[in-house]
Amino acid sequence: AVTLRIESVGPKKQSVTRIIGLKDELDAVEGATRVGSESILVDGRTFACVIFKRPSGSGEIRFWLAPGLPWPVRTIDNDGAEQREVVLTRVSDAVTFGAGRLDCAVFSETRSAGGQALHRATSWRNLAVPGHEVRREEQFEVSGEPVSITRLVAAYAVK
């Protein structure tokens, strides 16, 4: 059996889940219960995922893990009032910044309450980059006005 350690970083609404030591077999995840399995299609490839759940604040978080991927294929964090869903949409996509270029996984994120989307984001992630996000595009409203924010790594080098 392989045991994975899940770390939550930051306050509840800003939490980031990191999976450390992902192996090719998924039997157990520390602090979580295996609740099923599901095949998920990403980028034209089918991934056989194991679904886990664990308590998170006043609700629960469910995550779909696939052997060989360092990221959850899907994550749903539901605290009763708000739900945050993050879905892997592309396994590999190059992001160019300055003189650099990194291969990234691409995720779509939606925060909703009462069935209404409050916040949408797309993020490009690479494990080698501190914080993992290489690019992030967000869309939401402030006082009824649409707001769009894009963040991009300006420089990255391995020494």
Side-chain angles (χ1 to χ4, degrees):
V2 173
T3 301
L4 304 177
R5 181 168 47 112
I6 304 295
E7 295 179 358
S8 289
V9 179
K12 168 76 174 99
K13 297 203 182 221
Q14 299 287 329
S15 70
V16 175
T17 301
R18 285 187 245 167
I19 297 178
I20 299 168
L22 188 60
K23 302 294 181 191
D24 286 335
E25 294 180 28
L26 301 171
D27 295 326
V29 175
E30 188 177 307
T33 305
R34 183 179 175 157
V35 294
S37 61
E38 180 181 356
S39 292
I40 296 181
L41 184 66
V42 177
D43 239 1
R45 295 172 48 195
T46 301
F47 293 94
C49 300
V50 178
I51 306 167
F52 293 91
K53 74 174 183 175
R54 68 178 169 101
S56 175
S58 61
E60 72 176 20
I61 185 169
R62 287 180 179 252
F63 41 98
W64 285 247
L65 302 178
L69 288 179
W71 314 95
V73 175
R74 182 178 186 204
T75 305
I76 297 177
D77 190 350
N78 192 340
D79 69 4
E82 265 189 31
Q83 176 173 294
R84 178 177 170 255
E85 181 175 17
V86 180
V87 179
L88 177 66
T89 58
R90 287 193 300 275
V91 176
S92 179
D93 189 32
V95 174
T96 303
F97 55 93
R101 182 179 171 103
L102 285 170
D103 188 42
C104 299
V106 183
F107 294 84
S108 174
E109 177 183 329
T110 304
R111 280 205 180 126
S112 57
Q116 183 77 15
L118 304 173
H119 181 268
R120 296 183 192 280
T122 303
S123 63
W124 288 256
R125 302 177 189 173
N126 181 297
L127 287 173
V129 175
H132 307 308
E133 279 194 342
V134 175
R135 180 182 177 98
R136 183 173 180 86
E137 298 174 355
E138 301 179 58
Q139 300 86 36
F140 54 95
E141 287 188 6
V142 174
S143 301
E145 294 295 320
V147 176
S148 181
I149 298 172
T150 298
R151 291 182 289 187
L152 178 63
V153 167
Y156 174 73
V158 177
K159 296 184 182 206

